[in-house]
Coordinates of all heavy atoms in Angstrom, one line a residue:
L1 N 27.1 60.8 -33.7 CA 28.5 60.9 -34.2 C 28.6 62.2 -35.1 O 27.8 62.5 -35.8 CB 28.8 59.7 -35.1 CG 28.9 58.3 -34.4 CD1 29.1 57.2 -35.4 CD2 30.0 58.3 -33.3
P2 N 29.8 62.8 -35.0 CA 30.1 63.9 -35.8 C 30.2 63.5 -37.3 O 30.2 62.4 -37.6 CB 31.5 64.4 -35.4 CG 31.6 63.9 -34.0 CD 30.8 62.6 -34.0
I3 N 30.2 64.5 -38.1 CA 30.2 64.2 -39.6 C 31.5 63.5 -39.9 O 32.6 63.8 -39.4 CB 30.1 65.5 -40.4 CG1 28.8 66.2 -40.1 CG2 30.4 65.3 -41.8 CD1 28.6 67.6 -40.7
Y4 N 31.5 62.5 -40.8 CA 32.6 61.8 -41.3 C 33.7 62.7 -41.8 O 33.4 63.6 -42.5 CB 32.1 60.9 -42.4 CG 33.2 60.2 -43.2 CD1 34.1 59.3 -42.7 CD2 33.3 60.6 -44.5 CE1 35.0 58.7 -43.4 CE2 34.3 60.0 -45.3 CZ 35.2 59.1 -44.8 OH 36.1 58.5 -45.5
S5 N 34.9 62.5 -41.3 CA 36.0 63.4 -41.6 C 36.6 63.3 -43.0 O 37.3 64.2 -43.5 CB 37.2 63.2 -40.6 OG 37.8 61.9 -40.9
G6 N 36.4 62.2 -43.7 CA 36.9 62.1 -45.1 C 38.1 61.1 -45.1 O 38.6 60.7 -46.1
Y7 N 38.7 60.8 -43.9 CA 39.8 59.8 -43.9 C 39.3 58.4 -44.2 O 38.2 58.0 -43.8 CB 40.4 59.8 -42.5 CG 41.2 61.0 -42.1 CD1 40.7 61.9 -41.2 CD2 42.4 61.3 -42.7 CE1 41.4 63.1 -40.9 CE2 43.1 62.4 -42.4 CZ 42.6 63.3 -41.5 OH 43.3 64.4 -41.1
L8 N 40.0 57.7 -45.0 CA 39.6 56.3 -45.4 C 39.8 55.3 -44.2 O 40.7 55.5 -43.4 CB 40.5 55.9 -46.6 CG 40.3 56.7 -47.8 CD1 41.3 56.3 -48.9 CD2 38.9 56.6 -48.3
P9 N 39.0 54.3 -44.2 CA 39.1 53.3 -43.1 C 40.5 52.5 -43.3 O 40.9 52.4 -44.4 CB 37.9 52.4 -43.3 CG 37.4 52.6 -44.6 CD 37.8 54.0 -45.0
N10 N 41.0 52.1 -42.2 CA 42.3 51.3 -42.2 C 43.5 52.0 -42.7 O 44.5 51.4 -43.0 CB 42.1 50.0 -43.0 CG 41.0 49.1 -42.4 OD1 40.9 49.0 -41.2 ND2 40.1 48.6 -43.2
C11 N 43.5 53.3 -42.8 CA 44.6 54.1 -43.2 C 45.3 54.5 -41.9 O 44.7 54.7 -40.9 CB 44.3 55.3 -44.0 SG 43.7 54.9 -45.6
Y12 N 46.6 54.7 -42.0 CA 47.4 55.1 -40.8 C 48.5 56.0 -41.3 O 48.9 56.0 -42.5 CB 47.9 53.9 -40.0 CG 48.6 52.9 -40.8 CD1 50.0 53.0 -41.2 CD2 48.0 51.7 -41.2 CE1 50.6 52.0 -41.9 CE2 48.6 50.7 -41.9 CZ 49.9 50.9 -42.3 OH 50.6 49.9 -43.0
H13 N 49.1 56.7 -40.3 CA 50.2 57.6 -40.6 C 51.5 56.8 -40.8 O 51.5 55.6 -40.7 CB 50.4 58.6 -39.5 CG 49.1 59.4 -39.3 ND1 48.6 59.7 -38.0 CD2 48.3 60.1 -40.1 CE1 47.5 60.4 -38.1 NE2 47.3 60.6 -39.4
I14 N 52.6 57.5 -41.1 CA 53.9 56.9 -41.4 C 54.4 56.1 -40.2 O 54.5 56.7 -39.1 CB 54.9 57.9 -41.8 CG1 54.5 58.6 -43.2 CG2 56.3 57.3 -42.0 CD1 55.3 59.8 -43.6
P15 N 54.6 54.8 -40.3 CA 55.2 54.1 -39.1 C 56.5 54.7 -38.7 O 57.3 55.1 -39.5 CB 55.4 52.7 -39.7 CG 54.4 52.6 -40.8 CD 54.4 54.0 -41.4
H16 N 56.7 54.6 -37.3 CA 57.9 55.2 -36.8 C 58.3 54.4 -35.5 O 57.5 53.6 -35.0 CB 57.7 56.7 -36.4 CG 56.7 56.9 -35.3 ND1 55.4 56.9 -35.6 CD2 56.9 57.1 -34.0 CE1 54.7 57.1 -34.4 NE2 55.6 57.2 -33.5
R17 N 59.5 54.7 -35.0 CA 60.0 54.1 -33.8 C 60.3 55.2 -32.9 O 60.8 56.3 -33.3 CB 61.2 53.2 -34.0 CG 60.9 52.0 -34.9 CD 62.1 51.2 -35.1 NE 63.1 51.8 -35.9 CZ 64.3 51.3 -36.2 NH1 64.6 50.1 -35.7 NH2 65.1 51.9 -37.0
D18 N 60.2 55.0 -31.6 CA 60.6 56.0 -30.6 C 62.0 55.7 -30.1 O 62.2 55.4 -28.9 CB 59.6 56.1 -29.4 CG 58.2 56.5 -29.9 OD1 58.1 57.2 -30.9 OD2 57.2 56.1 -29.2
L19 N 62.9 55.6 -31.0 CA 64.3 55.2 -30.6 C 65.1 56.3 -30.0 O 65.0 57.5 -30.4 CB 65.0 54.6 -31.8 CG 64.7 53.2 -32.2 CD1 65.5 52.8 -33.4 CD2 65.0 52.3 -31.1
S20 N 66.0 55.9 -29.2 CA 67.1 56.8 -28.7 C 68.4 56.0 -28.8 O 68.4 54.8 -29.3 CB 66.8 57.2 -27.3 OG 67.0 56.1 -26.4
S21 N 69.4 56.5 -28.3 CA 70.7 55.8 -28.4 C 70.8 54.7 -27.3 O 71.7 53.9 -27.3 CB 71.9 56.8 -28.2 OG 71.7 57.5 -27.0
E22 N 69.8 54.7 -26.4 CA 69.8 53.7 -25.3 C 68.5 52.9 -25.4 O 67.5 53.4 -25.9 CB 69.8 54.5 -23.9 CG 71.0 55.3 -23.7 CD 70.9 56.1 -22.4 OE1 70.4 55.6 -21.5 OE2 71.4 57.3 -22.4
P23 N 68.5 51.7 -24.9 CA 67.3 50.9 -24.8 C 66.1 51.6 -24.1 O 66.4 52.2 -23.0 CB 67.7 49.6 -24.1 CG 69.2 49.5 -24.3 CD 69.6 51.0 -24.3
S24 N 64.9 51.5 -24.6 CA 63.8 52.3 -24.0 C 62.5 51.6 -24.3 O 62.4 50.7 -25.1 CB 63.8 53.7 -24.5 OG 63.7 53.7 -25.9
E25 N 61.5 52.0 -23.5 CA 60.1 51.5 -23.7 C 59.2 52.7 -23.9 O 59.4 53.8 -23.4 CB 59.6 50.7 -22.5 CG 60.4 49.4 -22.4 CD 59.8 48.5 -21.3 OE1 59.4 49.1 -20.2 OE2 59.9 47.3 -21.4
T26 N 58.2 52.5 -24.7 CA 57.2 53.6 -25.0 C 55.9 53.2 -24.3 O 55.4 52.1 -24.4 CB 57.0 53.7 -26.5 OG1 58.2 54.1 -27.1 CG2 55.9 54.7 -26.9
L27 N 55.3 54.2 -23.6 CA 54.0 54.1 -23.0 C 53.1 55.0 -23.7 O 53.4 56.2 -23.7 CB 54.1 54.4 -21.5 CG 52.7 54.3 -20.8 CD1 52.3 52.9 -20.5 CD2 52.7 55.2 -19.5
L28 N 52.0 54.5 -24.2 CA 51.0 55.4 -24.9 C 49.8 55.4 -24.0 O 49.2 54.3 -23.6 CB 50.6 54.8 -26.2 CG 51.7 54.7 -27.3 CD1 51.2 54.1 -28.5 CD2 52.3 56.1 -27.6
Y29 N 49.4 56.6 -23.5 CA 48.2 56.7 -22.6 C 47.1 57.5 -23.4 O 47.3 58.5 -23.9 CB 48.6 57.5 -21.3 CG 47.4 57.8 -20.5 CD1 46.9 56.8 -19.7 CD2 46.8 59.0 -20.4 CE1 45.8 57.0 -18.9 CE2 45.7 59.3 -19.6 CZ 45.2 58.3 -18.9 OH 44.1 58.5 -18.1
Y30 N 45.9 56.9 -23.4 CA 44.8 57.4 -24.2 C 44.0 58.3 -23.2 O 43.4 57.8 -22.3 CB 44.0 56.3 -24.8 CG 44.8 55.5 -25.8 CD1 45.4 54.3 -25.4 CD2 44.9 55.9 -27.1 CE1 46.2 53.6 -26.3 CE2 45.6 55.2 -28.0 CZ 46.3 54.0 -27.6 OH 47.0 53.3 -28.5
V31 N 43.9 59.6 -23.5 CA 43.3 60.6 -22.6 C 41.8 60.6 -22.9 O 41.0 60.7 -21.9 CB 43.8 62.0 -22.9 CG1 43.1 63.0 -22.1 CG2 45.3 62.0 -22.6
N32 N 41.3 60.3 -24.1 CA 39.9 60.3 -24.4 C 39.5 59.1 -25.2 O 40.4 58.5 -25.8 CB 39.5 61.6 -25.1 CG 40.1 61.7 -26.6 OD1 41.2 61.4 -26.8 ND2 39.3 62.1 -27.5
E33 N 38.2 58.9 -25.3 CA 37.7 57.8 -26.1 C 37.5 58.3 -27.5 O 36.9 59.4 -27.7 CB 36.4 57.2 -25.5 CG 36.0 56.0 -26.3 CD 35.3 55.0 -25.4 OE1 35.5 55.0 -24.2 OE2 34.6 54.1 -25.9
S34 N 38.0 57.6 -28.5 CA 37.9 58.1 -29.9 C 38.1 56.9 -30.8 O 38.3 55.8 -30.4 CB 39.0 59.1 -30.1 OG 39.0 59.6 -31.4
D35 N 37.9 57.2 -32.1 CA 38.4 56.2 -33.1 C 39.8 56.7 -33.5 O 40.3 57.7 -33.0 CB 37.4 56.1 -34.2 CG 37.1 57.4 -35.0 OD1 37.1 58.4 -34.4 OD2 37.0 57.3 -36.2
G36 N 40.4 56.1 -34.4 CA 41.8 56.4 -34.8 C 42.8 55.5 -34.1 O 43.5 56.0 -33.2
D37 N 42.8 54.3 -34.5 CA 43.6 53.3 -33.8 C 45.1 53.6 -33.9 O 45.6 54.3 -34.8 CB 43.4 51.9 -34.5 CG 42.0 51.3 -34.2 OD1 41.3 51.9 -33.4 OD2 41.7 50.3 -34.8
T38 N 45.8 53.0 -32.9 CA 47.3 52.9 -33.0 C 47.6 51.5 -33.6 O 47.0 50.5 -33.2 CB 47.9 53.0 -31.6 OG1 47.6 54.2 -31.0 CG2 49.4 52.8 -31.6
V39 N 48.4 51.5 -34.6 CA 48.7 50.3 -35.4 C 50.1 49.9 -34.9 O 51.1 50.7 -34.9 CB 48.7 50.5 -36.9 CG1 49.0 49.3 -37.6 CG2 47.3 51.1 -37.3
I40 N 50.3 48.6 -34.5 CA 51.6 48.1 -34.1 C 52.1 47.0 -35.1 O 51.3 46.2 -35.5 CB 51.5 47.5 -32.7 CG1 51.0 48.6 -31.7 CG2 52.8 47.0 -32.2 CD1 50.6 48.1 -30.3
F41 N 53.3 47.1 -35.5 CA 53.9 46.2 -36.5 C 54.7 45.2 -35.8 O 55.1 45.2 -34.6 CB 54.7 47.1 -37.5 CG 53.8 48.0 -38.2 CD1 53.6 49.3 -37.7 CD2 53.2 47.7 -39.4 CE1 52.8 50.2 -38.4 CE2 52.4 48.6 -40.1 CZ 52.2 49.8 -39.6
D42 N 55.1 44.2 -36.6 CA 55.7 42.9 -36.1 C 57.2 43.0 -35.7 O 57.6 42.1 -35.0 CB 55.5 41.8 -37.1 CG 56.2 42.0 -38.4 OD1 56.6 43.2 -38.7 OD2 56.4 41.1 -39.2
D43 N 57.9 44.0 -36.1 CA 59.3 43.9 -35.8 C 60.0 45.3 -36.0 O 59.3 46.3 -36.2 CB 60.0 42.9 -36.8 CG 61.2 42.2 -36.3 OD1 61.7 42.6 -35.3 OD2 61.5 41.1 -36.8
I44 N 61.3 45.2 -35.9 CA 62.1 46.4 -36.0 C 62.8 46.4 -37.4 O 63.8 47.0 -37.6 CB 63.1 46.5 -34.9 CG1 64.0 45.3 -34.9 CG2 62.4 46.7 -33.6 CD1 65.2 45.4 -33.9
V45 N 62.2 45.7 -38.3 CA 62.7 45.5 -39.7 C 62.3 46.7 -40.5 O 61.5 47.5 -40.2 CB 62.2 44.2 -40.3 CG1 62.8 43.0 -39.6 CG2 60.7 44.2 -40.4
P46 N 62.9 46.8 -41.7 CA 62.6 48.0 -42.6 C 61.1 48.0 -42.9 O 60.4 47.0 -43.0 CB 63.4 47.7 -43.9 CG 64.5 46.9 -43.4 CD 64.0 46.0 -42.3
V47 N 60.6 49.2 -43.2 CA 59.1 49.4 -43.4 C 58.5 48.6 -44.5 O 57.4 48.1 -44.3 CB 58.9 50.9 -43.7 CG1 57.5 51.2 -44.0 CG2 59.4 51.8 -42.6
K48 N 59.2 48.3 -45.6 CA 58.6 47.5 -46.7 C 58.2 46.1 -46.3 O 57.4 45.5 -46.9 CB 59.6 47.5 -47.8 CG 59.7 48.8 -48.5 CD 60.7 48.7 -49.7 CE 60.8 50.0 -50.4 NZ 61.7 50.0 -51.5
T49 N 58.8 45.5 -45.3 CA 58.5 44.1 -44.9 C 57.7 44.0 -43.7 O 57.5 42.9 -43.2 CB 59.9 43.3 -44.8 OG1 60.6 43.9 -43.7 CG2 60.7 43.3 -46.0
M50 N 57.2 45.0 -43.1 CA 56.5 45.0 -41.8 C 55.1 44.4 -42.1 O 54.5 44.7 -43.1 CB 56.4 46.3 -41.2 CG 57.7 46.8 -40.7 SD 57.6 48.3 -39.7 CE 56.7 49.4 -40.8
K51 N 54.6 43.8 -41.0 CA 53.2 43.3 -41.0 C 52.5 43.8 -39.7 O 53.1 43.9 -38.7 CB 53.1 41.8 -41.0 CG 53.6 41.2 -42.3 CD 53.4 39.7 -42.3 CE 53.7 39.1 -43.7 NZ 55.0 39.1 -44.2
I52 N 51.2 44.2 -39.8 CA 50.5 44.6 -38.7 C 50.2 43.4 -37.8 O 49.8 42.4 -38.2 CB 49.1 45.2 -39.1 CG1 49.4 46.5 -39.9 CG2 48.2 45.5 -37.9 CD1 48.1 47.1 -40.5
V53 N 50.5 43.6 -36.5 CA 50.3 42.5 -35.5 C 49.2 42.9 -34.5 O 48.6 42.0 -33.9 CB 51.5 42.1 -34.7 CG1 52.5 41.5 -35.6 CG2 52.1 43.3 -34.0
D54 N 48.9 44.2 -34.4 CA 47.8 44.6 -33.5 C 47.3 46.0 -33.8 O 48.0 46.8 -34.5 CB 48.3 44.7 -32.0 CG 47.2 44.6 -31.0 OD1 46.1 44.4 -31.4 OD2 47.6 44.6 -29.8
R55 N 46.1 46.3 -33.5 CA 45.5 47.6 -33.6 C 44.8 47.9 -32.3 O 44.0 47.1 -31.8 CB 44.4 47.6 -34.7 CG 44.9 47.4 -36.1 CD 43.8 47.5 -37.1 NE 43.5 48.9 -37.4 CZ 43.9 49.6 -38.4 NH1 44.8 49.1 -39.3 NH2 43.6 50.9 -38.6
V56 N 45.2 49.1 -31.7 CA 44.6 49.4 -30.4 C 43.7 50.6 -30.6 O 44.1 51.7 -31.1 CB 45.8 49.8 -29.4 CG1 45.2 50.1 -28.1 CG2 46.8 48.6 -29.3
S57 N 42.5 50.5 -30.1 CA 41.5 51.6 -30.2 C 41.6 52.4 -29.0 O 41.7 51.9 -27.8 CB 40.1 51.0 -30.3 OG 39.9 50.3 -31.5
P58 N 41.6 53.8 -29.2 CA 41.7 54.7 -28.0 C 40.5 54.6 -27.1 O 39.4 54.9 -27.5 CB 41.8 56.1 -28.7 CG 42.3 55.8 -30.1 CD 41.7 54.5 -30.4
K59 N 40.7 54.2 -25.9 CA 39.7 54.1 -24.8 C 40.2 55.0 -23.7 O 41.4 54.8 -23.2 CB 39.4 52.7 -24.4 CG 39.0 51.8 -25.5 CD 37.6 52.1 -26.0 CE 37.2 51.2 -27.1 NZ 36.3 51.7 -28.0
K60 N 39.4 55.9 -23.2 CA 39.8 56.8 -22.1 C 40.4 56.0 -20.9 O 39.8 55.0 -20.4 CB 38.6 57.6 -21.6 CG 39.0 58.6 -20.6 CD 37.8 59.5 -20.2 CE 38.2 60.5 -19.1 NZ 37.1 61.4 -18.8
G61 N 41.6 56.3 -20.5 CA 42.3 55.7 -19.3 C 43.1 54.5 -19.7 O 43.8 53.9 -18.8
K62 N 43.1 54.0 -20.9 CA 43.8 52.9 -21.3 C 45.3 53.2 -21.6 O 45.6 54.4 -22.1 CB 43.2 52.3 -22.6 CG 43.8 51.0 -23.1 CD 43.0 50.6 -24.4 CE 43.3 49.2 -24.8 NZ 42.5 48.7 -25.9
A63 N 46.2 52.3 -21.4 CA 47.6 52.5 -21.7 C 48.2 51.3 -22.3 O 47.8 50.2 -21.9 CB 48.4 52.9 -20.5
I64 N 49.1 51.4 -23.2 CA 49.9 50.3 -23.7 C 51.4 50.6 -23.6 O 51.8 51.7 -23.7 CB 49.5 50.0 -25.2 CG1 49.8 51.1 -26.1 CG2 48.0 49.5 -25.3 CD1 49.6 50.8 -27.6
L65 N 52.1 49.5 -23.4 CA 53.6 49.6 -23.2 C 54.2 48.7 -24.3 O 53.8 47.6 -24.5 CB 54.0 49.1 -21.8 CG 55.4 49.2 -21.5 CD1 55.9 50.7 -21.4 CD2 55.7 48.5 -20.2
L66 N 55.2 49.3 -25.0 CA 55.9 48.5 -26.0 C 57.3 48.9 -26.1 O 57.7 50.0 -25.7 CB 55.2 48.6 -27.4 CG 55.2 50.0 -28.1 CD1 55.5 49.9 -29.6 CD2 53.8 50.7 -27.9
D67 N 58.2 48.0 -26.6 CA 59.6 48.3 -26.8 C 59.7 49.4 -27.8 O 59.0 49.3 -28.9 CB 60.3 47.0 -27.2 CG 61.8 47.2 -27.3 OD1 62.3 48.1 -28.1 OD2 62.5 46.5 -26.6
S68 N 60.4 50.4 -27.5 CA 60.5 51.6 -28.4 C 61.1 51.3 -29.8 O 61.0 52.1 -30.7 CB 61.3 52.7 -27.7 OG 60.7 53.1 -26.6
S69 N 61.8 50.1 -29.9 CA 62.4 49.8 -31.2 C 61.4 49.3 -32.2 O 61.7 49.2 -33.4 CB 63.5 48.8 -31.0 OG 63.0 47.6 -30.4
Y70 N 60.1 48.9 -31.8 CA 59.1 48.4 -32.7 C 58.4 49.6 -33.4 O 58.1 50.6 -32.8 CB 58.1 47.6 -31.9 CG 58.6 46.2 -31.7 CD1 59.5 45.9 -30.7 CD2 58.2 45.1 -32.5 CE1 60.0 44.7 -30.4 CE2 58.7 43.9 -32.3 CZ 59.6 43.6 -31.3 OH 60.1 42.4 -31.1
F71 N 58.1 49.4 -34.7 CA 57.4 50.4 -35.4 C 56.0 50.4 -35.0 O 55.3 49.4 -34.7 CB 57.5 50.1 -36.9 CG 58.8 50.5 -37.6 CD1 59.8 49.6 -37.6 CD2 58.9 51.7 -38.1 CE1 61.0 50.0 -38.2 CE2 60.1 52.1 -38.7 CZ 61.1 51.2 -38.8
H72 N 55.4 51.6 -34.9 CA 54.0 51.8 -34.7 C 53.5 53.1 -35.4 O 54.3 53.8 -35.9 CB 53.7 51.9 -33.2 CG 54.5 52.9 -32.4 ND1 55.8 52.8 -32.1 CD2 54.1 54.2 -32.0 CE1 56.2 53.8 -31.5 NE2 55.2 54.7 -31.4
A73 N 52.2 53.2 -35.5 CA 51.7 54.4 -36.3 C 50.3 54.8 -35.7 O 49.6 54.0 -35.2 CB 51.5 54.0 -37.7
S74 N 50.1 56.1 -35.7 CA 48.8 56.6 -35.3 C 47.9 56.6 -36.5 O 48.3 56.4 -37.7 CB 48.9 58.0 -34.7 OG 49.5 58.8 -35.7
S75 N 46.6 56.9 -36.3 CA 45.7 57.1 -37.4 C 44.7 58.2 -37.0 O 44.4 58.4 -35.8 CB 44.9 55.8 -37.8 OG 44.2 55.3 -36.8
S76 N 44.2 58.9 -38.0 CA 43.3 60.0 -37.7 C 41.9 59.6 -37.4 O 41.4 58.6 -38.0 CB 43.3 61.0 -38.9 OG 44.5 61.6 -39.1
P77 N 41.2 60.2 -36.4 CA 39.8 59.8 -36.2 C 39.0 60.2 -37.4 O 39.2 61.2 -38.0 CB 39.5 60.6 -34.9 CG 40.4 61.7 -34.8 CD 41.7 61.3 -35.6
R78 N 38.0 59.3 -37.6 CA 37.1 59.5 -38.7 C 35.7 60.1 -38.2 O 35.0 60.8 -39.0 CB 36.8 58.2 -39.5 CG 38.1 57.7 -40.1 CD 37.9 56.3 -40.8 NE 37.0 56.5 -41.9 CZ 36.0 55.7 -42.2 NH1 35.7 54.6 -41.5 NH2 35.2 55.9 -43.2
F79 N 35.4 59.7 -37.0 CA 34.0 60.1 -36.5 C 34.1 60.9 -35.2 O 33.0 61.3 -34.7 CB 33.2 58.8 -36.3 CG 33.0 58.0 -37.6 CD1 33.8 56.8 -37.8 CD2 32.2 58.4 -38.6 CE1 33.6 56.1 -39.0 CE2 32.0 57.7 -39.8 CZ 32.8 56.5 -39.9
N80 N 35.2 61.1 -34.7 CA 35.4 61.9 -33.5 C 36.1 63.2 -33.8 O 36.9 63.2 -34.8 CB 36.1 61.2 -32.4 CG 35.3 60.0 -31.9 OD1 35.5 58.9 -32.4 ND2 34.5 60.2 -30.9
D81 N 35.9 64.2 -33.1 CA 36.5 65.5 -33.3 C 38.0 65.5 -33.0 O 38.8 66.3 -33.6 CB 35.9 66.6 -32.5 CG 34.4 66.9 -33.0 OD1 34.2 66.7 -34.2 OD2 33.6 67.3 -32.2
F82 N 38.4 64.7 -32.0 CA 39.9 64.7 -31.7 C 40.2 63.4 -31.0 O 39.4 62.6 -30.6 CB 40.2 65.9 -30.8 CG 39.4 66.0 -29.6 CD1 39.7 65.4 -28.4 CD2 38.2 66.8 -29.6 CE1 38.9 65.5 -27.3 CE2 37.4 66.9 -28.4 CZ 37.8 66.2 -27.3
R83 N 41.5 63.1 -31.0 CA 42.1 62.0 -30.4 C 43.3 62.5 -29.6 O 44.2 63.1 -30.2 CB 42.6 61.0 -31.5 CG 43.4 59.9 -31.2 CD 43.9 59.2 -32.5 NE 44.6 58.0 -32.4 CZ 45.9 57.9 -32.3 NH1 46.6 59.0 -32.3 NH2 46.5 56.7 -32.1
I84 N 43.3 62.3 -28.3 CA 44.4 62.8 -27.5 C 45.2 61.6 -26.8 O 44.6 60.8 -26.1 CB 43.9 63.7 -26.3 CG1 43.2 64.9 -26.9 CG2 45.1 64.2 -25.5 CD1 42.5 65.7 -25.9
I85 N 46.5 61.5 -27.1 CA 47.3 60.5 -26.6 C 48.6 61.1 -26.0 O 49.2 62.0 -26.6 CB 47.7 59.5 -27.7 CG1 46.5 58.8 -28.1 CG2 48.8 58.5 -27.2 CD1 46.7 57.8 -29.3
L86 N 49.0 60.7 -24.8 CA 50.3 61.1 -24.2 C 51.3 60.0 -24.5 O 51.0 58.8 -24.3 CB 50.1 61.3 -22.7 CG 49.1 62.4 -22.3 CD1 49.1 62.4 -20.8 CD2 49.5 63.7 -22.9
N87 N 52.4 60.4 -25.0 CA 53.5 59.4 -25.4 C 54.7 59.6 -24.4 O 55.3 60.7 -24.4 CB 53.9 59.7 -26.8 CG 54.9 58.7 -27.3 OD1 54.8 57.5 -27.1 ND2 55.9 59.2 -28.0
F88 N 55.0 58.6 -23.7 CA 56.2 58.6 -22.7 C 57.2 57.7 -23.2 O 56.9 56.6 -23.7 CB 55.7 58.2 -21.3 CG 54.7 59.1 -20.7 CD1 53.3 58.8 -20.9 CD2 55.0 60.2 -20.0 CE1 52.3 59.5 -20.3 CE2 54.0 61.0 -19.4 CZ 52.7 60.7 -19.6
V89 N 58.5 58.0 -23.1 CA 59.6 57.1 -23.4 C 60.4 57.0 -22.1 O 60.9 57.9 -21.6 CB 60.4 57.6 -24.6 CG1 61.6 56.7 -24.8 CG2 59.6 57.8 -25.8
F90 N 60.5 55.7 -21.7 CA 61.3 55.4 -20.5 C 62.6 54.7 -20.9 O 62.6 53.7 -21.7 CB 60.5 54.5 -19.6 CG 59.2 55.1 -19.1 CD1 58.0 54.8 -19.7 CD2 59.2 55.9 -18.0 CE1 56.8 55.4 -19.2 CE2 58.1 56.5 -17.5 CZ 56.8 56.2 -18.1
Y91 N 63.7 55.1 -20.3 CA 65.0 54.5 -20.6 C 65.2 53.4 -19.6 O 65.0 53.5 -18.4 CB 66.1 55.6 -20.5 CG 65.9 56.6 -21.6 CD1 65.4 57.9 -21.3 CD2 66.3 56.4 -22.9 CE1 65.2 58.8 -22.3 CE2 66.1 57.3 -23.9 CZ 65.5 58.5 -23.6 OH 65.3 59.5 -24.6
K92 N 65.7 52.3 -20.2 CA 66.0 51.1 -19.4 C 67.4 51.3 -18.7 O 68.3 51.8 -19.4 CB 66.0 49.8 -20.2 CG 64.6 49.6 -20.8 CD 64.7 48.3 -21.7 CE 63.4 48.1 -22.4 NZ 63.4 46.9 -23.2
E93 N 67.5 50.8 -17.5 CA 68.9 50.9 -16.9 C 69.5 49.5 -16.8 O 68.8 48.5 -16.8 CB 68.7 51.4 -15.4 CG 68.4 52.8 -15.4 CD 68.5 53.4 -14.0 OE1 69.0 52.7 -13.1 OE2 68.0 54.5 -13.8

């Protein structure tokens, strides 16, 4: 494993939603295997009241689909050099 990056365990970036003016879904595709989980929260409620409902570890070839109105957050890898994720937003008709 590469040298520890200095990021603390269980920390994540600012939660966000992939919202648009129309209903949509977010597909996250993991290009490489890494640490640095994606954290998914319980609702579309304000940030102060959210609870973590799932943590998804980046595994090469894995994809997750979620309603774009739900908050989610990335986290930095601690033991890998990089984490590559493709983020797609699909609009519902």
Side-chain angles (χ1 to χ4, degrees):
L1 290 175
I3 296 173
Y4 167 67
S5 68
Y7 291 107
L8 297 174
N10 299 317
C11 289
Y12 49 83
H13 301 134
I14 297 171
H16 66 280
R17 300 183 286 180
D18 297 333
L19 278 181
S20 69
S21 58
E22 301 176 34
S24 58
E25 292 184 328
T26 296
L27 176 80
L28 301 176
Y29 175 77
Y30 298 94
V31 176
N32 68 314
E33 187 146 342
S34 178
D35 59 325
D37 292 354
T38 300
V39 181
I40 302 170
F41 298 90
D42 63 344
D43 211 340
I44 57 174
V45 296
V47 176
K48 290 182 181 179
T49 61
M50 293 186 307
K51 292 185 172 66
I52 295 173
V53 294
D54 201 4
R55 293 182 79 95
V56 179
S57 296
K59 302 292 180 202
K60 184 177 181 177
K62 184 179 195 174
I64 61 172
L65 183 68
L66 63 140
D67 188 299
S68 297
S69 61
Y70 280 79
F71 280 91
H72 56 282
S74 59
S75 58
S76 297
R78 298 177 65 224
F79 301 104
N80 293 92
D81 292 332
F82 53 89
R83 171 187 185 267
I84 302 172
I85 295 176
L86 299 177
N87 185 46
F88 300 92
V89 177
F90 297 98
Y91 296 100
K92 299 178 183 180
E93 289 188 13

